């Protein structure tokens, strides 16, 4: 392999993970940390679909300021350790049609009148958490055009009233339910899957592909019979009275534009032999599903019932 094609140490770690594990072990050892930043009086901005794409794009601009010239030009960062721009914004590896997902997602909530911006970082990408949180605070203070996002509505003076970090070190093993209800907090991007309402099992397929890629950031490669699993989840019973068409917005760096895509919102019920896919559904609550997950799309909660 010549120098041009040589993998960087970061790419090697993603490409050659330290362990081979199954879905249950991945769920039991899943590691993530979430930064929560509460902004006083900005809660009404939660309904603005431009909010998280705008914050992520501005955060990326802040990361550029501390990045190597190679990373800025979308090449592997030669520094030791590599700069945060390389970790959070560059696609590390591509296998066939699909690239390894970025090791984080943004999310937002409203608490009373306040806006809570969340950055959830997966696996060993948390080695860069200190710089990520420092530059995210700086981004929110200096780079986000809050007045533009408010669209003329009154906003109080910008003030961060709380910053905290929480950690997940594995998910508890639960008894397999007879049924699970999936409630989408944010729309699930269905671009390229316009039949998602008619073929809801495709949600599990997209979730499986995403988690298979994100396992690399957990220093793991999933060992699974994906063909057998796909036959199993296709055979489950799906129904919903509330799954409706929606849309998402996401920023495309390559096209230098906001893309508006078809999406679905609402609730989806699944019943049958859920044991093989339950780890996927549990992990997915932490990492979201579908395209646009990094900007908060495809976020959901599950309710298990017997």
């Amino acid at each position: 392999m010549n120098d041009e094609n040589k993998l960087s140490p970061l790419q090697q770690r993603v490409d050659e993970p330290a362990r081979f594990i199954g879905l249950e072990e991945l769920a039991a050892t899943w590691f993530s940390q979430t930064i929560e930043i509460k902004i006083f009086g900005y809660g009404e901005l939660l309904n603005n679909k431009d909010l998280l794409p705008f914050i992520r794009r501005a955060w990326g601009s802040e990361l550029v300021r501390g990045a190597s010239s190679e990373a800025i030009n979308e090449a592997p960062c030669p520094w030791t350790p590599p700069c945060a721009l390389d970790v959070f914004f560059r696609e590390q590896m591509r296998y066939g049609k699909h690239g390894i997902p970025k090791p984080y997602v943004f999310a937002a909530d409203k608490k009373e009148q306040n806006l809570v911006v969340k950055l959830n970082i997966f696996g060993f990408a948390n080695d860069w958490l200190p710089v990520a949180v420092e530059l995210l605070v700086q981004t929110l203070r200096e780079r986000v055009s809050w007045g533009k996002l408010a669209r003329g509505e009154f906003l109080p003076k910008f003030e961060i009233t709380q910053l905290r970090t929480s950690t997940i070190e594995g998910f508890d093993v639960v008894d397999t339910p007879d049924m699970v209800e999936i409630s989408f907090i944010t729309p699930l991007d269905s671009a390229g899957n316009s039949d998602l309402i008619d073929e809801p099992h495709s949600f599990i397929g997209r979730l499986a592909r995403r988690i298979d890629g994100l396992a690399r950031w957990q220093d793991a490669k999933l060992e699974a019979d994906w063909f057998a699993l796909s036959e199993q989840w296709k055979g489950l019973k799906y129904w919903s009275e509330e799954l409706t068409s929606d849309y998402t917005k996401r920023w495309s760096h390559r096209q230098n534009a906001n893309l508006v895509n078809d999406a679905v919102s609402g609730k989806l019920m699944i019943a049958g032999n859920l044991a093989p896919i339950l780890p996927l559904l549990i992990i997915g609550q932490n990492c979201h599903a579908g395209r646009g997950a990094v900007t908060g799309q495809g976020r959901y909660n599950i309710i298990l019932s017997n």
Side-chain angles (χ1 to χ4, degrees), residues 117-254:
V117 176
K118 299 180 179 181
L119 173 61
N120 188 9
I121 301 176
F122 310 126
F124 71 81
N126 279 285
D127 292 349
W128 287 264
L129 183 144
V131 67
V133 64
E134 178 181 349
L135 295 183
L136 180 55
V137 169
Q138 192 165 318
T139 296
L140 296 175
R141 281 182 173 151
E142 300 178 5
R143 285 189 169 266
V144 177
S145 300
W146 296 107
K148 182 177 180 180
L149 289 170
R151 297 169 181 164
E153 296 297 321
F154 170 77
L155 288 176
K157 182 180 178 181
F158 180 87
E159 180 186 2
I160 292 175
T161 58
Q162 185 183 58
L163 189 154
R164 72 185 187 98
T165 301
S166 58
T167 302
I168 290 175
E169 296 183 89
F171 295 103
D172 293 334
V173 177
V174 297
D175 293 334
T176 303
D178 296 323
M179 185 185 79
V180 62
E181 177 184 288
I182 298 170
S183 179
F184 290 104
I185 301 170
T186 58
L188 172 71
D189 185 302
S190 61
N193 289 273
S194 58
D195 58 353
L196 191 62
I197 292 178
D198 296 328
E199 297 185 16
H201 62 77
S202 61
F203 163 68
I204 307 296
R206 300 181 73 193
L207 184 61
R209 184 167 61 243
R210 175 166 172 76
I211 291 172
D212 183 44
L214 285 174
R216 303 292 183 126
W217 293 101
Q218 304 285 339
D219 283 317
K221 186 178 188 306
L222 275 175
E223 290 188 315
D225 185 341
W226 291 115
F227 177 77
L229 276 174
S230 67
E231 290 299 303
Q232 192 278 331
W233 70 59
K234 287 176 183 177
L236 296 173
K237 181 181 179 182
Y238 300 83
W239 73 98
S240 174
E241 297 177 357
E242 301 180 50
L243 206 59
T244 58
S245 297
D246 205 324
Y247 73 95
T248 64
K249 281 187 177 183
R250 66 183 181 89
W251 175 258
S252 170
H253 177 71
R254 291 180 181 177

Side-chain angles (χ1 to χ4, degrees), residues 11 44 63 80 107 115 132 191 214 226 249:
Q11 288 175 307
E44 292 304 316
L63 292 177
T80 305
L115 177 69
L214 285 174
W226 291 115
K249 281 187 177 183

